[in-house]
Coordinates of all heavy atoms in Angstrom, one line a residue:
Q26 N 79.9 69.3 8.1 CA 81.1 69.3 7.3 C 82.3 68.7 8.0 O 82.5 68.8 9.2 CB 81.4 70.9 7.0 CG 82.5 71.1 6.0 CD 82.5 72.6 5.6 OE1 83.3 73.4 6.2 NE2 81.6 73.0 4.7
E27 N 82.9 67.9 7.1 CA 84.1 67.3 7.7 C 85.1 68.3 8.3 O 85.3 69.3 7.8 CB 84.9 66.6 6.6 CG 85.5 67.3 5.5 CD 86.3 66.5 4.5 OE1 87.3 65.7 5.0 OE2 86.2 66.7 3.3
K28 N 85.7 67.9 9.4 CA 86.8 68.7 9.9 C 88.0 68.5 9.2 O 88.6 67.5 9.2 CB 87.0 68.5 11.5 CG 87.9 69.4 12.1 CD 88.1 69.0 13.6 CE 89.1 69.9 14.3 NZ 89.4 69.6 15.7
L29 N 88.5 69.5 8.6 CA 89.8 69.4 7.8 C 91.0 69.2 8.6 O 91.2 69.9 9.6 CB 89.9 70.6 6.9 CG 88.8 70.9 5.9 CD1 89.1 72.2 5.1 CD2 88.7 69.8 4.9
Q30 N 91.7 68.3 8.2 CA 93.0 67.9 9.0 C 94.2 68.6 8.5 O 94.8 68.2 7.5 CB 93.2 66.4 9.0 CG 92.0 65.6 9.4 CD 91.6 65.9 10.9 OE1 92.5 66.0 11.8 NE2 90.3 66.1 11.1
Y31 N 94.5 69.8 9.1 CA 95.7 70.6 8.7 C 96.4 70.9 10.0 O 96.1 70.6 11.1 CB 95.1 71.9 8.0 CG 94.2 72.8 9.0 CD1 94.9 73.8 9.7 CD2 92.9 72.6 9.0 CE1 94.2 74.6 10.6 CE2 92.2 73.5 9.9 CZ 92.8 74.4 10.6 OH 92.1 75.3 11.4
D32 N 97.6 71.5 9.7 CA 98.6 71.8 10.8 C 98.0 73.0 11.5 O 98.0 74.2 11.0 CB 100.0 72.0 10.1 CG 101.0 72.4 11.3 OD1 100.6 72.4 12.4 OD2 102.2 72.6 10.9
P33 N 97.6 72.8 12.8 CA 97.0 74.0 13.5 C 98.1 75.1 13.8 O 97.7 76.2 14.0 CB 96.5 73.4 14.8 CG 97.3 72.1 15.0 CD 97.6 71.7 13.5
E34 N 99.4 74.7 13.8 CA 100.4 75.8 14.1 C 100.6 76.6 12.9 O 101.0 77.8 12.9 CB 101.6 75.1 14.5 CG 101.5 74.3 15.9 CD 102.9 73.9 16.4 OE1 103.9 74.0 15.7 OE2 102.9 73.2 17.5
F35 N 100.4 76.1 11.7 CA 100.5 76.9 10.4 C 99.2 77.6 10.2 O 99.3 78.7 9.8 CB 100.7 75.9 9.2 CG 100.7 76.6 7.9 CD1 101.8 77.2 7.5 CD2 99.7 76.6 7.2 CE1 101.9 77.8 6.2 CE2 99.5 77.3 5.9 CZ 100.8 77.9 5.4
G36 N 98.1 76.9 10.7 CA 96.8 77.7 10.5 C 96.1 77.5 9.1 O 96.6 76.7 8.3
I37 N 95.2 78.4 8.9 CA 94.5 78.4 7.6 C 95.0 79.7 6.8 O 95.7 80.5 7.4 CB 93.0 78.4 7.6 CG1 92.5 79.7 8.3 CG2 92.5 77.2 8.4 CD1 92.2 80.9 7.6
V38 N 94.6 79.7 5.5 CA 95.1 80.8 4.7 C 93.9 81.6 4.2 O 92.9 81.1 3.8 CB 96.0 80.4 3.5 CG1 96.3 81.6 2.6 CG2 97.3 79.6 4.0
R39 N 94.0 82.9 4.3 CA 93.0 83.7 3.8 C 93.5 84.6 2.7 O 94.6 85.3 2.9 CB 92.3 84.7 4.9 CG 91.2 85.6 4.4 CD 90.5 86.3 5.4 NE 89.6 87.3 5.0 CZ 88.3 87.3 5.3 NH1 87.8 86.5 6.0 NH2 87.5 88.3 4.9
I40 N 92.9 84.7 1.5 CA 93.3 85.4 0.4 C 92.4 86.5 0.0 O 91.2 86.2 0.0 CB 93.5 84.4 -0.9 CG1 94.5 83.3 -0.8 CG2 93.7 85.2 -2.1 CD1 94.5 82.3 -1.9
E41 N 93.0 87.7 0.0 CA 92.1 88.9 -0.2 C 92.2 89.3 -1.7 O 93.3 89.4 -2.2 CB 92.6 90.0 0.7 CG 92.4 89.8 2.2 CD 91.0 89.7 2.7 OE1 90.1 90.0 1.8 OE2 90.8 89.5 3.9
I42 N 91.1 89.6 -2.3 CA 91.0 89.9 -3.7 C 90.3 91.2 -3.8 O 89.2 91.4 -3.2 CB 90.2 88.7 -4.5 CG1 91.1 87.5 -4.5 CG2 90.0 89.3 -5.9 CD1 90.3 86.3 -5.0
V43 N 90.8 92.1 -4.6 CA 90.2 93.3 -4.9 C 90.2 93.5 -6.4 O 91.3 93.6 -7.0 CB 90.9 94.6 -4.2 CG1 90.3 95.9 -4.7 CG2 90.8 94.4 -2.8
G44 N 89.0 93.6 -7.1 CA 88.9 93.9 -8.5 C 89.5 92.8 -9.3 O 90.1 93.0 -10.4
G45 N 89.3 91.6 -8.9 CA 89.8 90.4 -9.7 C 91.3 90.2 -9.6 O 91.9 89.4 -10.4
E46 N 91.9 90.9 -8.6 CA 93.4 90.7 -8.5 C 93.8 90.4 -7.1 O 93.0 90.8 -6.1 CB 94.2 91.9 -8.9 CG 94.0 92.2 -10.4 CD 94.6 93.6 -10.7 OE1 95.1 94.3 -9.9 OE2 94.7 94.0 -12.0
L47 N 94.8 89.6 -6.8 CA 95.3 89.3 -5.4 C 95.8 90.6 -4.8 O 96.6 91.4 -5.3 CB 96.5 88.4 -5.5 CG 97.2 88.0 -4.2 CD1 96.3 87.4 -3.2 CD2 98.5 87.4 -4.5
L48 N 95.2 90.9 -3.5 CA 95.7 92.0 -2.8 C 96.8 91.5 -1.8 O 97.9 92.0 -1.9 CB 94.7 92.6 -2.0 CG 95.0 93.9 -1.0 CD1 95.4 95.0 -2.1 CD2 93.9 94.2 -0.2
Y49 N 96.6 90.6 -1.1 CA 97.5 89.9 -0.2 C 97.0 88.5 0.3 O 95.8 88.4 0.2 CB 98.0 90.8 0.9 CG 97.0 91.1 1.9 CD1 96.5 90.3 2.8 CD2 96.4 92.5 2.0 CE1 95.6 90.7 3.7 CE2 95.5 92.8 2.8 CZ 95.0 91.9 3.8 OH 94.1 92.2 4.7
A50 N 97.9 87.8 0.9 CA 97.4 86.5 1.6 C 98.0 86.5 2.9 O 99.1 87.1 3.2 CB 97.8 85.4 0.8

């Protein structure tokens, strides 16, 4: 898989979903 080029200091984002709704990111 290609290594995605993103800002390592910002990091990646994880989105948590419960019951079809956003819980938090």
Side-chain angles (χ1 to χ4, degrees):
Q26 187 170 95
E27 67 171 312
K28 183 182 179 182
L29 297 174
Q30 301 302 312
Y31 63 90
D32 181 357
E34 294 186 3
F35 177 85
I37 62 93
V38 177
R39 181 172 173 121
I40 294 175
E41 299 288 0
I42 294 171
V43 175
E46 298 178 353
L47 172 68
L48 183 66
Y49 63 74

